[in-house]
């Protein structure tokens, strides 16, 4: 029985994107274990939230919190539990190995990796956005840590290009976001239902201007105005059934809570409907798979659409969108940093009118994503075989 640590994963996160990464990682690990002929048990290390979800039949334990303060003197329970693992897969919550969220958060993410490496346990950076790293000392520290990893997987071409520019290309592989493997069940639709289901994934974070307000992400687009104009446009047509979809739901962070923005919008647009609160990332993807068209600013809500063959126009607010969807050759993207409100609105409405073409492109991009994830799965199978022999 191999013991695999899953660092910066969560099956209780209020951010269903983090949960989607975790559920998908578990699915890929189970596929790899079957190929390798080994049994696995998992230990999760990461943030917790108010949710509770996860697949059945998996041997899974919640590890101790990562504590930098307990590092001196070997007092860290996290470090002791990591030392008992055969390998650690670190997914960085998808996009957190960077300094754009502040130096304190970067230092915390870096320390969690260093504690694994100094125990001599193989550390794999699972598919994620790498960087950007804005300051020179941070770039040096990040490069030094990645050189010591067993393997680094980039989920997009921009991240891979960065790794190559830092002399790390030989130890890295470009694949794609693991959430393309998230299981789902497509809802059965009444054959007599002639309505067009339109999903609008509302980002509470962008609606409130970011964690600190004041347009933290430097958008050209006026996000609240854009969402209101979209809802007004779509609800004006009787055949449209407009769903406002929440994908990040932290009770303790109202600025980041999609539900807060949705409640405000429903007061202004009573013809729109709130999607149900989902019990798991797979439930969210299953609901999204029933849409005829979707737009959204939470990346994993958009991945849920593409990977279930739904026409979608993502609204990018950081390079993680641009890099990921360019990697898959999916061109239908509104860019909140490059486009103004009118331009972004027109891009989304054009996508709606061409939704049959977008759906076909989504299916093609998903097939490419699945092939890329097979590469990652096969690497894990080889890693598990090596751990079994060790």
């Amino acid at each position: 029985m191999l013991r695999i640590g899953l660092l910066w994963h969560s099956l209780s996160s209020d951010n269903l994107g983090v949960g989607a990464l975790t559920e998908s990682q578990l699915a890929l690990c189970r596929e790899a274990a079957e190929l390798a002929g080994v049994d696995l048990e998992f230990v999760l290390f990461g943030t917790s939230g108010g949710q509770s979800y996860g697949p059945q039949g998996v041997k899974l334990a919640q590890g101790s919190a990562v504590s930098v303060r307990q590092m001196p003197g070997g007092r860290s329970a996290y470090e002791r539990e990591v030392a008992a693992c055969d390998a650690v897969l670190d997914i960085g919550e998808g996009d957190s190995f960077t300094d754009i969220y502040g130096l304190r958060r970067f230092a915390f993410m870096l320390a969690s990796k260093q504690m694994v490496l100094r125990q001599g346990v193989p550390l794999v950076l699972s598919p994620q956005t790498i960087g950007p790293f804005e300051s020179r000392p941070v770039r040096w520290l990040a490069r030094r840590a990645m050189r010591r990893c067993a393997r680094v997987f980039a989920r997009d071409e921009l991240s891979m290009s960065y790794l190559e520019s830092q002399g790390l290309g030989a130890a890295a592989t470009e694949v794609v976001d693991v959430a393309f493997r998230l299981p789902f069940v497509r809802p059965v639709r009444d054959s007599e239902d002639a309505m067009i289901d339109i999903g609008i994934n509302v980002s509470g974070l962008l609606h409130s201007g970011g964690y600190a307000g004041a347009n933290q992400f430097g958008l050209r687009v006026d996000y609240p105005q854009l969402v209101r104009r979209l809802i007004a446009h779509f609800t004006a047509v009787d055949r449209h059934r407009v769903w406002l979809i929440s994908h990040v739901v932290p009770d303790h962070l109202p600025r980041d809570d999609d539900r807060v923005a949705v409640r405000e919008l429903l007061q202004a647009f009573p013809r729109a409907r709130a999607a149900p609160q989902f019990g798991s990332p797979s439930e969210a993807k299953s609901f999204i798979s029933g849409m005829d068209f979707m737009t959204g600013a939470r990346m994993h809500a958009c991945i849920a659409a593409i990977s279930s063959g739904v026409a979608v126009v993502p609204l990018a607010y950081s390079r993680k969108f641009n890099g990921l969807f360019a990697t898959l050759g999916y061109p239908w993207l509104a860019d909140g940093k490059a486009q103004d409100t009118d331009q972004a609105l027109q891009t989304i409405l054009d996508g709606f009118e061409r939704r049959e073409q977008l759906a076909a492109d989504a299916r093609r991009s998903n097939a490419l994503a699945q092939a890329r994830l097979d590469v990652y799965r096969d690497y894990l199978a080889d890693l598990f075989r090596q751990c079994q022999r060790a």
Side-chain angles (χ1 to χ4, degrees):
M1 176 77 69
L2 297 180
R3 189 174 180 83
I4 306 299
L6 299 181
L7 179 56
W8 299 119
H9 294 69
S10 176
L11 289 173
S12 64
S13 176
D14 298 312
N15 183 333
L16 295 183
V18 176
L21 292 173
T22 307
E23 284 198 59
S24 304
Q25 179 86 285
L26 287 168
L28 284 158
C29 283
R30 294 171 81 179
E31 289 180 34
E34 186 172 348
L35 288 175
V38 300
D39 294 321
L40 303 179
E41 61 181 5
F42 300 94
V43 187
L44 262 63
F45 302 101
T47 54
S48 58
Q51 309 295 308
S52 179
Y53 42 80
Q56 299 297 314
V58 179
K59 293 184 179 179
L60 188 69
Q62 181 62 51
S64 298
V66 181
S67 175
V68 177
R69 290 181 179 178
Q70 293 177 355
M71 283 179 65
R75 295 182 293 114
S76 170
Y78 159 71
E79 198 164 4
R80 290 194 300 273
E81 291 168 13
V82 158
C85 292
D86 294 287
V88 172
L89 309 180
D90 175 358
I91 208 157
E93 293 191 336
D95 67 343
S96 291
F97 195 35
T98 175
D99 59 359
I100 64 171
Y101 298 118
L103 290 177
R104 183 176 180 180
R105 185 171 178 182
F106 168 78
F108 192 55
M109 300 296 291
L110 182 66
S112 70
K113 295 165 176 50
Q114 290 173 332
M115 284 190 272
V116 178
L117 292 168
R118 77 182 187 184
Q119 293 299 324
V121 176
L123 175 65
V124 175
L125 296 196
S126 292
Q128 60 191 277
T129 300
I130 305 295
F133 303 108
E134 301 293 346
S135 78
R136 183 175 297 176
V138 164
R139 284 196 295 274
W140 183 85
L141 288 167
R143 183 171 62 247
R144 184 170 179 268
M146 287 189 285
R147 285 192 189 280
R148 298 172 63 197
C149 291
R151 197 76 188 169
V152 177
F153 287 91
R155 69 179 180 184
D156 60 80
E157 60 186 23
L158 289 176
S159 294
M160 190 64 196
S161 295
Y162 173 77
L163 290 167
E164 290 172 341
S165 76
Q166 298 299 303
L168 297 168
T173 304
E174 180 188 336
V175 285
V176 76
D177 195 294
V178 298
F180 278 88
R181 208 66 140 217
L182 182 65
F184 73 102
V185 177
R186 195 182 305 277
V188 178
R189 187 158 187 170
D190 188 334
S191 60
E192 297 183 1
D193 184 357
M195 298 290 283
I196 299 173
D197 283 300
I198 300 168
I200 301 176
N201 160 235
V202 180
S203 169
L205 185 61
L206 297 188
H207 197 264
S208 60
Y211 296 109
N215 191 18
Q216 178 183 354
F217 298 103
L219 300 184
R220 284 188 65 198
V221 74
D222 182 328
Y223 182 76
Q225 183 188 127
L226 173 64
V227 172
R228 286 173 175 267
R229 289 174 66 180
L230 281 170
I231 298 172
H233 177 88
F234 286 131
T235 56
V237 179
D238 289 339
R239 285 190 61 216
H240 292 172
R241 196 158 43 210
V242 179
W243 299 92
L244 306 186
I245 301 172
S246 299
H247 209 254
V248 176
V249 291
D251 291 328
H252 63 294
L253 289 173
R255 296 189 70 87
D256 197 22
D257 192 335
D258 299 350
R259 296 168 302 180
V260 174
V262 166
R263 284 194 292 267
E264 178 184 321
L265 291 165
L266 287 173
Q267 291 180 352
F269 300 97
R271 287 202 65 231
R273 308 177 181 204
Q277 184 162 335
F278 307 116
S280 71
S282 288
E283 280 188 22
K285 182 174 179 177
S286 297
F287 181 86
I288 289 169
S289 73
M291 297 294 103
D292 295 296
F293 175 80
M294 201 188 86
T295 185
R298 297 291 192 182
M299 194 172 77
H300 282 99
C302 297
I303 289 174
I306 290 183
S307 60
S308 59
V310 172
V312 59
V313 179
L315 175 68
Y317 69 89
S318 80
R319 79 167 200 185
K320 66 181 181 180
F321 282 80
N322 308 70
L324 176 70
F325 295 115
T327 295
L328 296 175
Y330 189 81
W332 311 104
L333 185 81
D335 193 330
K337 293 176 76 74
Q339 294 180 305
D340 62 25
T341 306
D342 288 341
Q343 291 169 328
L345 177 68
Q346 193 57 54
T347 297
I348 295 168
L349 296 183
D350 287 347
F352 174 75
E353 293 302 323
R354 303 171 71 175
R355 58 189 179 276
E356 289 187 9
Q357 181 180 350
L358 269 66
D361 285 346
R363 292 190 293 271
R364 177 182 51 78
S365 294
N366 182 51
L368 176 59
Q370 299 305 323
R372 285 171 170 253
L373 286 178
D374 285 346
V375 173
Y376 175 60
R377 177 206 61 198
D378 292 347
Y379 169 84
L380 291 179
D382 287 340
L383 175 68
F384 296 158
R385 291 187 191 102
Q386 293 170 18
C387 291
Q388 184 82 333
R389 290 194 295 266

